[in-house]
Amino acid sequence: MATKPSIPKGTRDFSSTEVAKRNYIFSIIKSNFDQFGFQPIETPSFENSDTLMGKYGEEGDRLIFKILNSGEYLEKVSDEDLTAKNSRKITTQISEKALRYDLTVPFARYVVQHQNELEFPFKRYQIQPVWRADRPQKGRFREFFQCDADVVGSNSLWQEVEFVQLYDTIFTALGLKGVHIKINNRKILSGIAEVIGASDKLIDFTVALDKLDKIGEDGVKKEMLEKGISEIAIEKVQPLFNFTGTIPEKIEKLATLLVSSNEGLKGVEELKFICNAINELGLQSANLDVDVTLARGLNYYTGAIYEVGAPTGVAMGSIGGGGRYDDLTGIFGLKNMSGVGISFGLDRIYLVLEELGLFPETVTTTSKALFINFGEAETLFSLKAISQLRQNNIKVEMYPDAAKMAKQFQFAEKKGIQFAVLVGEEEMKQNQYKIKDLISGAQETVSLDQLLEKLK
């Protein structure tokens, strides 16, 4: 008996309706990327492993999908390594390539390779799939699209301000009002680690802190202790677990907390500049707030960091995020090339729009009308009209077989097609078309020009 086919966990098939809805999101994101002056590029689905490894922190590295070398990939592995089951060492010998984990590191590699062809500052956008060997759950997949916009070659904080505006503009255009744009600064986190005497544990500190909304205060403290951060240090960061107030009040508290850290105070000043500018410019529908526990557990962020949450009442992880990464291209040999970028989580945005019923009714791949098939002569007559309608960008189709009329009507109803067009001998003689509204049941006989107007 044949095995029932399946797909890997964390991946999905998409129906025509789902594809149409995804394309709707793509089109709004793309059009606004274009409006803000970003240019599209694309990079390969897989990169050399050494391009990706070591760029996302220890946790990120574990989630990278490795690709086995072609041919006899075990030939280079010694019997000793096989017996020892040293998977980390063996992996480097049997896998030289990996599926991309995100679009930012491949973009940094792209900039370094093509630096002589680019005009800086370079603003790019990229909409492509990425892969992560994560545990699948609602809103978290192993294969998903990212929609990124980045600027490299500018240290200006106005870029950070514009990215807040870009988030606000796109989510407003999608009808997704009331999203929460959270902002922080890695320099602030470095300053906090310095003040509490845990600078040598900065990565462990930020990775644990970033999990506050997932594992709670006790969970974060437990993880910090396990990573070697002292109880005294943890006691000093206690205020962060209940950090409330307006944006100016939070910034004032941070300035007081970090008074002994130059790095931390620099982060506070950057945060203050961005928030003051947004306050002056205003936002259409999004909410901006400072979140000092926001760490974005990726090693490459060095300045502002963003995370976007769905509107209040929608249970969903982040639907966007990003930040400043001054040193990323330096990893590939191009120094002093600052960058900042943001990403939109298409799949989660889709789920939120679906939950809130925000997809327009017009977002569909369904034809506007189905021409009923009565036979060879009638079909030939109908296809001439169909050609005219299609030239006017009207989606119509012909039922392929001269089946019973009830079957053809049922086909149209199941596909959500609103109109049926009937052409029999009488209509052919009069050069006319009978059009029936399958929702109301109303029908009328019209000329081709009238049919075109009716279906527009």
Side-chain angles (χ1 to χ4, degrees), residues 231-251:
E231 288 190 16
I232 294 173
I234 294 171
E235 193 174 316
K236 289 180 180 178
V237 299
Q238 182 62 40
L240 299 183
F241 295 118
N242 189 28
F243 205 77
T244 57
T246 64
I247 289 177
E249 287 170 348
K250 288 179 178 179
I251 289 174

Side-chain angles (χ1 to χ4, degrees), residues 272-332:
K272 186 176 181 180
F273 177 92
I274 297 164
C275 292
N276 284 349
I278 292 299
N279 185 53
E280 284 289 320
L281 294 166
L283 295 174
Q284 297 174 65
S285 67
N287 303 304
L288 180 68
D289 198 12
V290 170
D291 183 351
V292 291
T293 67
L294 176 61
R296 300 287 299 170
L298 300 179
N299 287 350
Y300 53 64
Y301 291 126
T302 55
I305 42 180
Y306 307 98
E307 192 160 281
V308 184
T312 303
V314 180
M316 182 62 67
S318 65
I319 56 176
R324 168 75 64 173
Y325 45 90
D326 287 342
D327 304 323
L328 192 59
T329 55
I331 296 169
F332 300 118

Side-chain angles (χ1 to χ4, degrees), residues 165-199:
Q165 292 181 304
L166 181 57
Y167 268 139
D168 177 49
T169 301
I170 287 176
F171 284 120
T172 301
L174 288 167
L176 193 55
K177 298 178 180 179
V179 300
H180 301 280
I181 304 173
K182 296 183 287 186
I183 188 171
N184 197 13
N185 195 296
R186 286 291 281 225
K187 294 184 181 74
I188 289 173
L189 294 169
S190 296
I192 293 170
E194 180 186 340
V195 166
I196 67 174
S199 291

Side-chain angles (χ1 to χ4, degrees), residues 385-445:
I386 287 172
S387 295
Q388 290 283 328
L389 293 166
R390 287 173 177 166
Q391 285 171 23
N392 283 274
N393 296 316
I394 299 171
K395 294 181 195 174
V396 290
E397 60 184 280
M398 185 84 207
Y399 194 82
D401 305 302
K404 289 181 180 179
M405 198 182 302
K407 184 178 180 180
Q408 296 187 52
F409 279 142
Q410 189 179 51
F411 174 82
E413 288 168 6
K414 284 184 176 179
K415 286 191 69 177
I417 298 173
Q418 183 177 355
F419 296 100
V421 180
L422 300 89
V423 178
E425 288 184 18
E426 192 60 33
E427 285 76 25
M428 289 171 65
K429 286 177 186 175
Q430 301 295 326
N431 200 25
Q432 290 185 319
Y433 305 83
K434 188 176 288 181
I435 181 169
K436 180 175 182 177
D437 188 324
L438 298 176
I439 296 173
S440 66
Q443 65 180 40
E444 58 183 310
T445 301

Side-chain angles (χ1 to χ4, degrees), residues 24-215:
Y24 164 74
I25 300 172
F26 283 141
S27 66
I28 286 179
I29 292 175
K30 281 180 181 178
S31 64
N32 282 286
F33 281 171
D34 287 329
Q35 269 198 334
F36 275 66
F38 294 88
Q39 298 177 309
I41 69 163
E42 291 190 356
T43 59
S45 298
F46 54 92
E47 298 271 351
N48 291 325
S49 294
D50 55 10
T51 297
L52 303 177
M53 298 299 290
K55 312 303 190 300
Y56 307 102
E58 189 177 330
E59 288 198 11
D61 281 354
R62 284 201 297 267
L63 300 181
I64 292 174
F65 274 110
K66 284 80 174 179
I67 300 172
L68 286 175
N69 294 339
S70 302
E72 295 295 331
Y73 53 84
L74 287 175
E75 279 183 346
K76 296 179 182 178
V77 182
S78 68
D79 291 340
E80 184 182 348
D81 287 339
L82 279 174
T83 303
K85 296 182 179 179
N86 187 336
S87 59
R88 186 169 295 182
K89 188 174 181 181
I90 291 172
T91 299
T92 61
Q93 299 174 59
I94 66 174
S95 174
E96 298 169 356
K97 295 175 283 295
L99 292 175
R100 60 172 173 241
Y101 176 91
D102 73 351
L103 299 178
T104 305
V105 170
F107 172 53
R109 189 267 308 151
Y110 175 94
V111 169
V112 174
Q113 276 194 258
H114 299 274
Q115 56 187 286
N116 295 327
E117 306 156 28
L118 302 175
E119 189 66 38
F120 294 102
F122 177 55
K123 300 175 73 172
R124 87 79 165 89
Y125 74 83
Q126 196 170 346
I127 300 177
Q128 289 185 277
V130 299
W131 294 266
R132 297 183 184 178
D134 214 340
R135 184 172 63 86
Q137 53 186 281
K138 183 184 178 183
R140 179 174 292 174
F141 308 102
R142 288 175 171 171
E143 178 186 59
F144 56 97
F145 267 82
Q146 281 190 338
C147 309
D148 283 14
D150 290 77
V151 182
V152 289
S154 171
N155 294 302
S156 171
L157 289 174
W158 290 112
Q159 305 289 1
E160 276 85 338
V161 172
E162 192 169 58
F163 277 125
V164 175
Q165 292 181 304
L166 181 57
Y167 268 139
D168 177 49
T169 301
I170 287 176
F171 284 120
T172 301
L174 288 167
L176 193 55
K177 298 178 180 179
V179 300
H180 301 280
I181 304 173
K182 296 183 287 186
I183 188 171
N184 197 13
N185 195 296
R186 286 291 281 225
K187 294 184 181 74
I188 289 173
L189 294 169
S190 296
I192 293 170
E194 180 186 340
V195 166
I196 67 174
S199 291
D200 60 328
K201 299 283 186 181
L202 175 61
I203 299 301
D204 293 330
F205 169 72
T206 55
V207 167
L209 192 62
D210 198 47
K211 296 177 181 175
L212 182 63
D213 60 338
K214 299 181 185 74
I215 61 177

